[in-house]
């Protein structure tokens, strides 16, 4: 209460000084404004990117996914290339039996970038041979009303059936046409469309209408593609039993490392020690991202830190100039009874007022920066809009500016407090 | 009757290079409550120095000052500040009003630095003080909007707002014309009737004539002290 009665007039006075010297105060605030703006924008954007990246990794199958891909033999095994059988459906069976940590195994046989033709229309997209396990591993599904996915029976029977990505549908069919049951030609063979995969939106929102499935969607690459039974692909198109890779979904993400190791052992044994495969996880992607995140934080944090430092110096400079101009005022205040501490408080409050006002302007600027960053990132990343401002971050930014203002105000305030009243009054 | 202020052997010495300047060279004086005292003297005779020390803005190099029964010659800065806002008022030749504060805010300023000060009560007291100097019609004006005489009346209101027992005025009429000098002197005279002691420094003999007692100083010493 006592401090409040002393602070209140000091703050009122600070605001009055600010109003009386608008341009000078604004200039002195510029460092604080830039510092708070970049600090808040940085934290917001990085947080947004982290959050969005989680979503992105999830769309890749999450961190519970292990990917096995076909690989060139390493140098020291090159002469054994004849012995390599590659990754086959036999590996799928072996893994099923020996690695119980794995819940689903999705064999994938890439056919290629192929032309899909219907009556009067055609388009090109990646065609892959997969099994029913593709859905849980890729974290995809078929929405009700959009048919079904490839079943085990389709696989066994080598059916000529095809499932389309949602972005492919409007390329081949008119909006009022139901793609299910239609026939699509692939390398001259007639495939029946049995389903359409769910549509992935950046925001996680699902748009039900097939017509709008591809419109303005930055997830387009995930929504394109077409899928046929893996055996159909191998027997009718590829002419061998090799797979391009496997997708493994483990039961418990915490056992990722164990599952990777067991998978590697099983495959090495089955492949007679040949390293004709590579194993990767999304954790590595996440790790790479974390490094980017740190780099981002360091560079923007550096800008924010330097700006706040320069802002502090700016405020100190203006306070010293202001005190020089107001030496007489200080003398008068002392002459009528102000203590050193009263003047200390007054000038400290003035510095704080400048920095708080600067901080608030900085927050407004940060909103602009975040909006701009969102716009840029939306163009650059497949993950769509990223950052939203958070009150806690803004409060932190403002808190930072107050601290800077107080620290910068201490020295000038001490000078004001220690002035001798008579000498101050004699000052012209 | 014990004097309001008793000064004994008061000295103020400034060191300028190798030379000592004795601004006050041993002053003995008593001021009674309710006195109207004028201090005359040539430039550099130590008048302002004496006023500053008595007004708790400066400390003497030597000597004793008993104010209201207490020895106050050497006090800690915060205690001197307390005396300035509670016991004495000061009026300057150049008014020394704060340009950004309104008339009533300027007058309320000494109260702001008092313990437990309440802004609303301060303004009421400021208005009462401005009433006494005949300036209550200019509460919201800035000092720059007032004439010199009006500014000095506001400065006097500021000096009396805290009900001090004594007011020190260092050449309060030095910047004013004859008509305004008379008004200010009448005003200071009326304060005497309220029991406030007034000590004013002047170069103007006609101003000094209005006082009950005239002290003239020379070279840091009391040269002459006569009451009428
Ligand atoms: N801070 C200081 N440092 C050195 N000398 C000083 C200082 N203050 C005052 N003096 C000297 O002390 C002497 C008395 O000064 P003071 O201001 O009291 O004179 P004064 O009687 O008020 O003169 P005036 O009528 O011109 O106002 C002068 O010689 C002055 O130069
Ligand atoms: Mg003088």
């Amino acid at each position: 209460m006592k401090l409040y009665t002393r602070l209140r007039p000091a703050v009122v006075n600070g605001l009055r000084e600010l109003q009386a010297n608008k341009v000078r105060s604004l200039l002195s605030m510029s460092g604080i404004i830039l510092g708070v703006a970049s600090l808040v924008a940085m934290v917001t954007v990085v947080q947004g990117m982290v959050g969005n990246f989680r979503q992105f990794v999830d769309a890749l199958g999450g961190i519970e996914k292990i990917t096995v891909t076909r690989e060139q033999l390493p140098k020291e095994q090159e002469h054994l290339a004849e012995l390599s059988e590659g990754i086959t459906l036999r590996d799928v069976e072996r893994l099923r039996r020996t690695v119980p940590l794995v819940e689903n195994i999705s064999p994938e046989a890439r056919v290629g970038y192929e032309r899909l033709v219907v009556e009067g229309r055609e388009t090109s997209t990646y065609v892959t041979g997969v099994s029913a396990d593709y859905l849980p591993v890729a974290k995809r599904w078929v929405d009700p009303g959009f048919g079904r996915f490839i079943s085990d029976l389709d696989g066994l029977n080598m059916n000529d059936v095809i499932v389309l990505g949602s972005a492919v549908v409007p390329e081949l069919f008119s909006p009022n046409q139901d793609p299910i049951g239609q026939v699509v030609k692939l390398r001259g063979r007639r495939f029946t469309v049995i389903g359409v995969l769910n549509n992935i939106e950046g925001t996680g929102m699902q748009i039900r209408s097939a017509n709008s499935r591809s419109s303005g969607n930055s997830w387009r690459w995930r929504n394109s593609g077409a899928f046929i039974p893996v055996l159909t692909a191998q027997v009718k198109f590829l002419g061998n039993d090799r797979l391009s890779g496997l997708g493994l979904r483990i039961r418990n993400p915490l056992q990722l490392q164990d599952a990777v190791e067991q998978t590697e052992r099983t495959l090495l044994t089955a492949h007679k020690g040949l390293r004709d495969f590579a194993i990767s996880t999304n954790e590595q992607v996440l790790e790479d991202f974390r490094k980017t995140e740190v780099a981002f934080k360091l560079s923007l944090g550096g800008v924010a830190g330097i700006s706040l430092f320069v802002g502090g110096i700016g405020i100190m400079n203006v306070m010293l100039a202001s005190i020089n101009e107001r030496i007489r005022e200080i003398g008068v205040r002392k002459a009528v009874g102000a203590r050193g501490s009263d003047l200390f408080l007054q000038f400290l409050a003035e510095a704080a007022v400048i920095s708080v006002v600067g901080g608030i302007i900085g927050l407004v600027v940060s909103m602009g920066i975040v909006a701009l960053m969102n716009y840029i990132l939306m163009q650059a990343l497949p993950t769509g809009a990223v950052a939203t401002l958070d009150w806690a971050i803004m409060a932190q930014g403002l808190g930072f500016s107050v601290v800077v203002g107080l620290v910068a105000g201490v020295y000038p305030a001490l000078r004001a407090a220690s002035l001798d009243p008579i000498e101050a009054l004699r000052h012209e | 009757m014990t004097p309001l202020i008793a000064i004994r052997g008061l000295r103020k010495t400034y060191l300028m290079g190798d030379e000592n300047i004795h601004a006050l060279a041993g002053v003995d004086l008593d001021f009674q409550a309710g006195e109207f005292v004028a201090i005359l003297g040539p430039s550099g005779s130590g008048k302002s120095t004496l006023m500053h020390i008595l007004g708790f803005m400066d400390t003497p190099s030597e000597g004793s000052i008993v104010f209201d029964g207490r020895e106050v010659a050497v006090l800690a800065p915060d205690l001197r500040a307390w005396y300035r806002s509670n016991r004495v008022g000061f009026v300057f030749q150049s008014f020394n009003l704060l340009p950004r504060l309104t008339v009533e805010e300027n007058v309320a300023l000494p109260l702001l630095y008092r313990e437990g000060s309440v802004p609303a009560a301060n303004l009421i007291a400021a208005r009462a003080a401005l009433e006494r100097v005949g300036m209550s019609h200019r509460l919201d004006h800035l000092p720059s909007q007032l004439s010199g005489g009006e500014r000095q009346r506001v400065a006097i209101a500021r000096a009396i707002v805290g009900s001090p027992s004594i007011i020190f005025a260092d050449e309060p009429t030095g910047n004013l014309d004859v008509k305004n000098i008379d008004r200010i002197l009448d005003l200071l005279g009326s304060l005497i009737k309220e029991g406030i002691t007034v000590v004013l420094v002047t170069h103007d003999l006609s101003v000094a004539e209005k006082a009950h007692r005239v002290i003239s100083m020379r070279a840091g010493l009391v040269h002459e002290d006569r009451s009428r």
Side-chain angles (χ1 to χ4, degrees), chain B residues 47-48 170-171 201:
Chain B
K47 306 180 297 291
S48 293
D170 195 351
E171 300 187 45
V201 167

Side-chain angles (χ1 to χ4, degrees), chain A residues 163-425:
Chain A
V163 173
L164 301 176
S166 60
V168 177
V169 174
E171 311 268 325
L172 292 177
F173 304 103
S174 57
N176 48 21
Q177 225 175 343
D178 185 2
I180 313 295
Q182 303 284 342
V183 170
V184 174
K185 273 195 187 168
L186 167 59
R187 291 198 193 169
R189 283 187 167 275
R190 296 165 57 84
F191 280 77
T192 308
V193 177
I194 56 168
V196 177
L197 272 184
N198 69 309
N199 188 46
I200 298 178
E201 299 264 341
T203 55
M205 211 168 63
Q206 303 298 322
I207 293 176
R208 291 267 165 205
S209 148
N211 313 336
S212 58
R213 283 199 156 204
S214 65
S215 54
N217 192 339
S218 49
W219 291 79
R220 204 184 171 88
W221 63 282
R222 294 283 298 156
N223 288 326
S224 62
F227 303 87
I228 59 177
V230 63
L231 267 181
T232 309
Q234 286 181 327
V235 172
K236 298 180 178 167
F237 293 123
L238 300 171
N240 62 43
D241 61 355
R242 295 187 176 198
L243 296 170
S244 39
L246 302 174
L248 278 61
R249 180 184 169 80
I250 57 171
R251 287 174 211 278
N252 179 356
L254 294 177
Q255 295 170 320
L256 182 68
Q257 277 321 309
D258 292 344
V260 167
E261 233 179 282
Q262 292 175 16
T263 303
E264 188 169 9
R265 291 258 158 267
T266 299
L267 289 178
L268 263 183
T269 314
H271 292 204
K272 306 179 188 83
L274 293 178
R275 285 209 167 268
D276 52 2
F277 61 92
I279 298 180
S280 64
T281 63
N282 288 332
E283 195 161 24
Q284 285 151 15
V285 184
L286 255 182
E287 189 51 42
D288 287 349
F289 178 73
R290 281 197 199 102
K291 281 181 194 147
T292 319
E293 182 189 341
V294 168
F296 236 93
K297 275 189 176 159
L298 281 181
S299 53
L300 273 168
V303 170
I306 290 169
S307 310
L308 284 175
F309 181 76
V310 171
I313 289 178
I315 287 181
M316 191 187 287
N317 198 25
V318 149
M319 291 304 298
L320 287 173
S322 157
I323 284 167
N324 247 352
E325 272 172 26
R326 287 152 69 196
I327 286 184
R328 256 191 110 80
E329 172 190 332
I330 294 166
V332 171
R333 287 179 183 270
K334 286 207 159 172
V336 301
R339 289 164 288 182
S341 60
D342 290 313
L343 286 157
F344 180 78
L345 264 186
Q346 179 189 331
F347 283 97
L348 198 63
E350 213 170 298
V353 165
I354 292 179
S355 61
V356 167
V357 172
I360 290 171
I361 298 176
L363 289 184
V364 174
V365 173
S366 76
M367 292 179 195
I369 295 179
V370 168
L372 188 71
M373 294 280 263
N374 272 344
Y375 178 77
I376 294 169
L377 287 170
M378 199 125 77
Q379 314 291 310
L381 287 181
T383 50
V386 286
T388 45
L389 280 164
D390 171 342
W391 289 112
I393 298 171
M394 295 176 81
Q396 265 174 36
L398 205 57
F400 255 107
S401 70
V402 174
V403 169
V404 167
L406 290 179
V407 170
V410 166
Y411 173 65
L414 275 177
R415 265 188 59 161
S418 63
L419 276 177
D420 178 68
I422 296 171
E423 272 174 33
L425 280 174

Side-chain angles (χ1 to χ4, degrees), chain B residues 168-191:
Chain B
F168 298 100
D170 195 351
E171 300 187 45
T173 55
N175 284 359
L176 302 179
D177 61 17
V178 183
K179 208 172 115 250
N180 276 309
I181 290 177
D182 284 346
R183 271 200 91 151
I184 295 297
L185 288 175
D186 285 349
L187 189 54
L188 291 174
S190 71
L191 297 179

